[in-house]
């Protein structure tokens, strides 16, 4: 059984609903589609983050970037 959800809209939300219903879709259909799309985007973003975190970083090259930057900025002091 489907639940009913009530939302309070503001002018920005009303405008978005107007845009989403221009094709004749009902507000209910537009809201359902928007919620599903938002959830899919979040799931894809989380999957992408997990994939990036699993990427191998390779072997260290022995270069200490912090030390290199510090040496290159000694003239600025």
């Amino acid at each position: 059984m489907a639940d009913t959800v009530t939302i309070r809209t503001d002018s920005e939300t009303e405008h978005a609903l107007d845009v989403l219903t221009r094709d004749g879709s009902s507000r209910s259909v537009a809201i359902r589609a928007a919620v599903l799309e938002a959830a899919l985007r979040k799931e894809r973003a989380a999957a992408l983050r997990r994939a990036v975190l699993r990427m191998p970083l390779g072997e260290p090259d022995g270069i200490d970037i912090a030390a290199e930057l510090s040496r290159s900025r000694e003239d600025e002091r």
Side-chain angles (χ1 to χ4, degrees), residues 24-76:
S25 299
S26 70
R27 289 167 66 101
S28 183
V29 167
I31 291 168
R32 273 196 303 274
V35 168
L36 292 173
E37 185 178 326
L40 182 61
R41 278 196 314 269
K42 280 196 174 212
E43 288 174 338
R44 285 181 179 166
L48 181 60
R49 280 191 297 278
R50 287 190 301 271
V52 167
L53 290 173
R54 284 192 302 264
M55 292 173 73
L57 296 177
E59 294 298 317
D61 57 9
I63 298 173
D64 183 350
I65 298 296
E68 292 292 323
L69 288 172
S70 178
R71 276 194 292 278
S72 69
R73 292 188 171 179
E74 285 179 355
D75 295 336
E76 296 174 12

Side-chain angles (χ1 to χ4, degrees), residues 4-51:
T4 300
V5 177
T6 303
I7 63 168
R8 287 192 174 95
T9 61
D10 55 14
S11 61
E12 187 178 16
T13 306
E14 285 296 328
H15 173 72
L17 283 169
D18 289 342
V19 169
L20 293 171
T21 57
R22 280 190 190 136
D23 65 355
S25 299
S26 70
R27 289 167 66 101
S28 183
V29 167
I31 291 168
R32 273 196 303 274
V35 168
L36 292 173
E37 185 178 326
L40 182 61
R41 278 196 314 269
K42 280 196 174 212
E43 288 174 338
R44 285 181 179 166
L48 181 60
R49 280 191 297 278
R50 287 190 301 271

